[in-house]
Amino acid sequence: MKRLLAFLLCLAPALARAQTVKGRLVDLTHPFDSQTIFWPTENGFQLEKEFDGTTPGGYYYASNKFCTAEHGGTHVDAPHHFNKAGNMVDEISLTQLVGPAVLVDVSAVCAKARDYQVRVSD
């Protein structure tokens, strides 16, 4: 499971309502799997392979089940998380999740110094 499909499914209504965004969209998603960092009290990500192979009818089929805590990796905490009257994730407009950004490219210096820390001067 390389992407958090459940998150995308929650965003489907917002995507349908989204206005056209000018500029370039950058995919900032990360793998969501057994290597993902979770809140210390959570169990993490559990993947159960149900089937991966050829069916009796001769068709290839792959199916998995996964269980995961909501507080893992980079994620969106819905306002409802801390506010009973706040929006759930599927009620957040996609336009609220998109905004101006600045690219600070320190890839060249990081290639030379793995522990480089971004500075204000960058």
Side-chain angles (χ1 to χ4, degrees), residues 18-117:
Q19 297 176 0
T20 303
V21 176
K22 293 183 181 185
R24 186 177 74 147
L25 296 177
V26 179
D27 182 358
L28 298 177
T29 58
H30 297 275
F32 205 77
D33 56 24
S34 62
Q35 302 301 309
T36 302
I37 297 171
F38 287 86
W39 190 253
T41 59
E42 301 294 351
N43 290 327
F45 184 89
Q46 300 159 6
L47 178 67
E48 180 183 336
K49 186 173 288 291
E50 288 194 311
F51 191 85
D52 187 0
T54 305
T55 67
Y59 300 100
Y60 174 78
Y61 177 67
S63 178
N64 299 306
K65 289 193 295 190
F66 70 91
C67 180
T68 188
E70 68 178 326
H71 295 284
T74 58
H75 64 283
V76 173
D77 264 333
H80 181 75
H81 186 66
F82 291 106
N83 176 352
K84 186 175 182 175
N87 286 347
M88 300 295 280
V89 170
D90 64 336
E91 297 170 328
I92 300 171
S93 167
L94 185 58
T95 57
Q96 290 180 275
L97 301 175
V98 178
V102 175
L103 173 64
V104 179
D105 185 357
V106 292
S107 56
V109 69
C110 287
K112 296 175 186 172
R114 289 178 40 173
D115 295 328
Y116 181 78
Q117 295 182 6

